[in-house]
Structure formats: structure tokens, C-alpha cells
Amino acid sequence: MSTTVDTSFAPVTFSEGAAKELYKLKDQQEIGEDYGLRVGVEGGGCAGMNYILGFDQRKDGDQEYFIEGIKVFMNKAHQMYLMGMMIDWQDGLNSRGFTFVNPNATSTCGCGTSFSA
């Protein structure tokens, strides 16, 4: 069973640009209200762990947060890797996409989508 948690205790934050882009993606892809943004980690990548970021349905073991008005699902076990992380959106000539500013990462890869803790 999932648990809804107060936003003030959410383990991650979104920059204003990331929140705007997430709202835009949700509208463009016509994502239903039963979906939320999954934020997590998985083994792999050149630095050892990859970030997970995508719209998904709730799963067993998920906690639910509302961050900047966006429903977010996160497996409780992933919080120790993501606590305090800020998700940003870059839209420049050299970089376009979501970036992860993770204070728990001891190293990151060049593309910024994997890290080690």
C-alpha cells in the first residue's frame, strides 16, 4: 500500500524550469490522473547507478509526494540515494534535458545520468 507524505518532507525538489517542462510533457502526452512521476535509481550506467525519471503508475512500496503540484512516486529504499536532490531542466545549445544535482553523489558520469554514492 502506498503512503502520501507531506510535501515539506519530500526528498527531492524541482527547479521552476523542471516543473514547467514536466507539466508540458504531461499535457502533451495526455498522461492520466492515475499516473505520477516516478523518481528513483537503478543499477547500471558508467558510474554505477542510473536515475529513473518518467511517468508511471503507483507500485507496491511507493511513497507518494506532491512536489510543485506534481504527483511523485518514489520507492522508499531509493530515498537514501536521492535525499536533497534537485531536478533541473536545461534548454541550451550545449545541453538539453533534465539534470540531477545530487548532494549524495560521490562521482557522476559525463552525461549526468549516472552516479555513484
Side-chain angles (χ1 to χ4, degrees), residues 94-107:
N94 295 328
S95 172
R96 182 162 204 257
F98 291 101
T99 59
F100 305 90
V101 181
N102 188 346
N104 305 301
T106 57
S107 66

Side-chain angles (χ1 to χ4, degrees), residues 21-68:
E21 188 64 21
L22 289 166
Y23 278 117
K24 185 169 105 177
L25 288 170
K26 188 175 180 191
D27 288 343
Q28 287 176 345
Q29 296 177 15
E30 298 179 0
I31 306 288
E33 291 303 313
D34 56 333
Y35 283 77
L37 182 69
R38 178 163 305 284
V39 178
V41 296
E42 65 185 358
C46 53
M49 299 184 91
N50 283 326
Y51 293 109
I52 298 170
L53 185 69
F55 290 100
D56 195 6
Q57 291 184 311
R58 188 180 331 191
K59 298 179 182 174
D60 286 341
D62 281 349
Q63 288 195 313
E64 182 176 328
Y65 302 92
F66 285 90
I67 305 169
E68 300 294 327

